[in-house]
Amino acid sequence: MVSGFAPSPSLDLETRVLRATEASIRRDRVWRVVMPLVILIPVLAVWELYTRSLGNALVPPPSKVVAELPKVVLDPAVIQGLATSDLALLIGYAGAALVGIPLGLLMGRVRLVDALTGPLINIAMVTPIVVVMPVLI
């Protein structure tokens, strides 16, 4: 002990609180991994047993799904379909950003633009896509 410095009695309490907090964090991390597995494994087991008892009539068992997954994922037709879909998504997103961002900035700056476009945008936000789909097709 250095002269003039006494050990702080609260240091022990602080250390215990810190260790308890760290233990709690470790426990939470473990539960975040364990709990999904505790639920997922029985669900997969029931799915496997049930579909095998039906003779694969309705839904394939998970073992067959996992076995066929590499073939489906690496199929050139699937890759081409995903590329086409992703391109359409990218074009739509870019178009919406190119129109929406300047329009939003303009609406925030000019009251007249907000008054003219605000009601139309509010109507468009609450309109279900199912209603608009026949017009888009």
Side-chain angles (χ1 to χ4, degrees):
M1 179 168 117
V2 179
S3 66
F5 291 100
S8 171
S10 64
L11 182 64
D12 187 47
L13 177 62
E14 291 172 5
T15 304
R16 286 187 293 164
V17 169
L18 182 62
R19 287 183 182 162
T21 304
E22 290 171 349
S24 175
I25 290 171
R26 279 194 302 274
R27 204 171 29 254
D28 288 347
R29 286 181 185 158
V30 168
W31 277 107
R32 274 190 240 138
V33 172
V34 170
M35 285 310 293
L37 293 176
V38 165
I39 294 169
L40 184 64
I41 290 171
V43 167
L44 288 175
V46 169
W47 175 12
E48 182 80 29
L49 294 172
Y50 183 69
T51 54
R52 290 203 182 268
S53 70
L54 293 177
N56 300 334
L58 298 173
V59 178
S63 59
K64 286 192 178 180
V65 171
V66 170
E68 292 294 320
L69 191 61
K71 295 178 200 169
V72 173
V73 169
L74 298 175
D75 183 15
V78 172
I79 294 171
Q80 178 62 37
L82 284 172
T84 302
S85 179
D86 287 348
L87 180 63
L89 177 85
L90 185 63
I91 290 170
Y93 187 79
L98 287 173
V99 172
I101 292 172
L103 181 61
L105 291 171
L106 200 57
M107 287 174 66
R109 293 281 182 185
V110 181
R111 287 187 183 267
L112 178 63
V113 174
D114 185 35
L116 293 173
T117 58
L120 295 173
I121 291 173
N122 286 331
I123 289 170
M125 284 189 341
V126 298
T127 303
I129 291 179
V130 174
V131 173
V132 182
M133 194 56 68
V135 176
L136 297 176
I137 294 177

